[in-house]
Amino acid sequence: MQLTVIGTGYVGLVTGACFAEMGNEVACVDIDERKIEGLKRGVLPIYEPGLEDIVRSNVDAGRLQFTTSLKDALTTSDVYFIAVGTPPREDGSADLRHVLDVAREIGRHLDHYAIIVDKSTVPVGTAERVREAIATELEARGADIPFDVVSNPEFLKEGDAIADFMRPDRVVVGCASDRARDRMRDLYATFMRNHDRLLFMSVRAAEMTKYAANAMLATKISFINEIANLCERLDVDVENVRQGIGSDSRIGYSFIYPGCGYGGSCFPKDVKAIIHMADECGFEPTVLKAVEQRNEQQKQVLFQHITADYGSDLKGRHFAVWGLAFKPGTDDMREASSVVLLESLMAAGATVAAYDPVAAETARAELPKAWLERGTLKIVNDQYRALEGADALILVTEWKPFRHPDFERILKLLKSPRVFDGRNQYSPQQLAELGLRYTGIGRSNLRQMEQAQKVDKGRRSS
C-alpha cells in the first residue's frame, strides 16, 4: 500500500517507519528542510530505541522516503496520515493550526479518492473541521473528489514505541464509511496475525478515546503520588501499599509507582486539553483538575525534601542529579520533573552536576544557557563523575544503569552520605546498612524531615 505521513516528529516518524517495515511504500513529509535532509542521511531528530535501524533499513530498501513536498506525495498515495504537532495554547486547548494547514494543502492538490487519517492527538470534533477545510479547498477549485476523514489515534509509549506499534494492544479507528473501514482493516491486517485487535467506532468516539486513555493513566499516577504523600505523614511505607493494591486485578500494578511527577509530550498536554474541552461544554472536570494540580505539586516534592534537610538557602551546596529525560528510553525533556527541580535548586543558590545517558545534548540545547555559562549547572558524561564532591545524590529518572549502582563508590564520592530517590528505586534498609541516609517518595520520611528541620533551625539560631 502507498502511504503518506505528514510530520516527522515522534508519532510521524515511528508511524512511517513501522508501516514501511511491514512492506508498504511510505513517503514522510515535513516542511523542515534541515530535518528532511538529516533523515535522508540517516540522522534522526529524536531518540527512540530501535527506530534508527528501522529507518535506515527501509530507506535502503526503497520503501521509505523523505520529502518536503506534500504535492508530490499526493500523486501516488491513497492514505494520508496527519501527524503534526498539536501544542497546548495558554488556555490549555490544543493548537490545531498545523493540522488544519495540512488539511487545506491536501484539499488544494487532491485529485483522487483518499483517506485522510488524523493520527495526531486532537480534540473531539477535529475530524469535522479537517473535512470542512478539505471540502472548502476542493470547492474553490471546482473539484468533486470523494474522500473520507478517519480518526486513528496513536497509543505509543516513548522508549517502547516500536513494540507498541508492531504489537499493539488495540488499534482504534473512528470512521463513518464502509469504504474507509475496509481500507483501514486491510492496512492493519499485517499487525493482527495473532488475533484481531481493531476497534471500530465513531470518529468522535475515537478522538475521545485517546484523551480518556491518557487522562486515566495520568490519574493513576497522581492518585498513587497523593497516597504516597499521605503515607509519609502517617509513617507508612507506600511500597507496601502499592503492592497491596496492585495485587488486586481490578487495579493492577501499571502506573501506580510513586515518583516526582509525570511529564513528557502527552500526559500534561492531554490532561490540559480535556479539561479545556470540558470547560467549553460547561462541565466541571473536578477529577481531572485535581490530577493536574497534584502533578504540579508533585514536581516540587524532591525539592521540599532537600530543603527540609538543608534549609531554603542552598548557597554553597552542590548536588548530583541522575536523570534529565522525563522517563527512561527517550531524550525528551518536555515537562520533565528534572527541569522543575533544577529551576528550584538554581533559584535557591545551589550548583548541580547532572548526568543522563541519552538526554545530555537535549539538556544543553533546552535548559537556560546562563546556567551552563555561569557553571551553576554542569552536564557530565559519567554518572559517577557527577557525584564528586556533591552534598547528595538526587535520582530523578530511573534509567537502568541507575537501578543497581555501586553504592560503596557512591559513598566514597559524595561529600556527605545522602540520597534523595525520586523514583523509589532503592531499598532504604540496604542504603542504611551501607551508611547512606535515604529519602524516597512516601517511604516514611516525615519523621526524618521533621528532625532535619529541627536541626536546621538549631543551626540558624546558634
Side-chain angles (χ1 to χ4, degrees):
M1 201 174 289
Q2 293 182 318
L3 313 173
T4 295
V5 178
I6 303 104
T8 58
Y10 184 81
V11 174
L13 192 53
V14 171
T15 298
C18 288
F19 274 132
E21 181 74 1
M22 299 303 275
N24 299 286
E25 295 181 18
V26 182
C28 288
V29 183
D30 202 294
I31 60 173
D32 188 331
E33 293 184 4
R34 289 183 62 185
K35 185 189 290 188
I36 291 297
E37 288 304 313
L39 285 165
K40 288 178 178 178
R41 300 193 308 272
V43 179
L44 274 61
I46 60 171
Y47 173 81
E48 176 63 34
L51 182 59
E52 183 175 349
D53 290 340
I54 292 179
V55 168
R56 288 185 173 177
S57 65
N58 283 282
V59 168
D60 292 343
R63 291 188 298 268
L64 182 61
Q65 59 177 302
F66 300 98
T67 178
T68 57
S69 174
L70 178 56
K71 181 180 178 181
D72 291 344
L74 279 163
T75 60
T76 56
S77 298
D78 53 7
V79 181
Y80 303 92
F81 289 87
I82 301 177
V84 295
T86 55
R89 298 180 185 272
E90 287 188 9
D91 62 0
S93 63
D95 186 343
L96 297 178
R97 285 179 297 171
H98 304 308
V99 171
L100 297 176
D101 284 346
V102 171
R104 283 187 281 268
E105 187 171 0
I106 290 173
R108 285 192 289 270
H109 301 293
L110 192 65
D111 60 4
H112 58 282
Y113 171 77
I115 299 172
I116 290 82
V117 182
D118 282 335
K119 198 69 174 171
S120 303
T121 300
V122 293
V124 175
T126 298
E128 296 159 19
R129 297 181 63 183
V130 168
R131 172 177 290 280
E132 182 182 356
I134 295 172
T136 299
E137 294 296 332
L138 289 173
E139 185 179 354
R141 292 165 49 198
D144 184 14
I145 300 168
F147 67 94
D148 282 302
V149 179
V150 166
S151 176
N152 176 216
E154 53 83 19
F155 297 98
L156 306 176
K157 299 186 297 292
E158 291 192 44
D160 204 23
I162 303 301
D164 286 343
F165 199 100
M166 302 298 278
R167 297 183 294 277
D169 293 327
R170 78 288 203 199
V171 175
V172 172
V173 178
C175 61
S177 81
D178 291 339
R179 189 176 184 181
R181 178 192 294 254
D182 292 343
R183 196 66 169 158
M184 294 300 288
R185 185 181 292 280
D186 288 343
L187 177 60
Y188 278 107
T190 53
F191 301 90
M192 307 290 153
R193 297 295 295 275
N194 186 21
H195 62 277
D196 191 353
R197 294 180 289 274
L198 271 168
L199 298 176
F200 287 102
M201 58 186 70
S202 73
V203 174
R204 292 174 73 90
E207 291 170 333
M208 187 64 181
T209 297
K210 168 63 177 181
Y211 280 107
N214 279 354
M216 182 68 245
L217 297 176
T219 299
K220 291 186 74 174
I221 295 170
S222 282
F223 172 80
I224 196 63
N225 281 335
E226 187 141 300
I227 294 298
N229 294 335
L230 181 58
C231 283
E232 287 185 3
R233 287 152 178 80
L234 296 174
D235 195 26
V236 174
D237 190 338
V238 74
E239 282 300 294
N240 294 328
V241 177
R242 182 187 68 80
Q243 293 176 31
I245 65 174
S247 59
D248 186 327
S249 60
R250 296 168 301 175
I251 298 172
Y253 292 102
S254 297
F255 289 86
I256 59 165
Y257 290 89
C260 48
Y262 61 75
S265 62
C266 293
F267 287 4
K269 173 176 72 71
D270 292 352
V271 171
K272 287 181 173 66
I274 196 170
I275 288 171
H276 185 268
M277 281 190 280
D279 288 341
E280 282 194 322
C281 295
F283 176 75
E284 179 65 19
T286 307
V287 173
L288 295 173
K289 286 185 176 180
V291 168
E292 182 183 35
Q293 183 181 13
R294 165 51 55 211
N295 192 57
E296 291 303 310
Q297 294 171 351
Q298 197 68 20
K299 290 182 179 181
Q300 296 289 345
V301 166
L302 271 177
F303 182 71
Q304 291 166 1
H305 286 321
I306 292 165
T307 54
D309 262 17
Y310 298 109
S312 58
D313 184 356
L314 297 179
K315 290 176 184 175
R317 297 290 182 182
H318 178 65
F319 298 98
V321 170
W322 279 2
L324 295 169
F326 87 91
K327 62 175 286 188
T330 180
D331 62 349
D332 196 342
M333 288 185 58
R334 284 173 287 184
E335 301 281 351
S337 299
S338 64
V339 177
V340 177
L341 174 65
L342 290 173
E343 288 172 346
S344 298
L345 291 173
M346 298 297 153
T351 59
V352 173
Y355 171 76
D356 189 288
V358 170
E361 289 307 312
T362 302
R364 290 188 180 96
E366 296 186 5
L367 291 175
K369 295 291 187 292
W371 294 354
L372 298 167
E373 291 169 357
R374 291 197 303 261
T376 51
L377 171 65
K378 292 182 180 178
I379 299 172
V380 299
N381 59 7
D382 180 84
Q383 69 186 77
Y384 293 102
R385 183 182 168 196
L387 301 171
E388 295 173 359
D391 288 285
L393 164 63
I394 309 169
L395 175 72
V396 180
T397 313
E398 63 276 33
W399 286 96
K400 288 180 181 177
F402 304 156
R403 292 186 184 178
H404 197 259
D406 185 340
F407 288 112
E408 291 185 0
R409 188 175 177 187
I410 290 173
L411 190 58
K412 290 177 182 178
L413 289 169
L414 289 174
K415 185 172 17 175
S416 59
R418 195 71 178 89
V419 175
F420 295 92
D421 182 357
R423 300 296 175 185
N424 286 0
Q425 291 292 288
Y426 307 134
S427 163
Q429 293 77 16
Q430 180 189 8
L431 266 62
E433 290 170 3
L434 291 168
L436 286 160
R437 188 172 171 222
Y438 174 89
T439 297
I441 307 296
R443 307 301 300 270
S444 308
N445 298 325
L446 184 64
R447 292 178 184 176
Q448 191 167 280
M449 290 171 63
E450 289 176 342
Q451 182 61 34
Q453 288 171 335
K454 290 178 183 177
V455 171
D456 183 61
K457 287 179 182 177
R459 284 198 211 104
R460 293 190 208 177
S461 61
S462 59

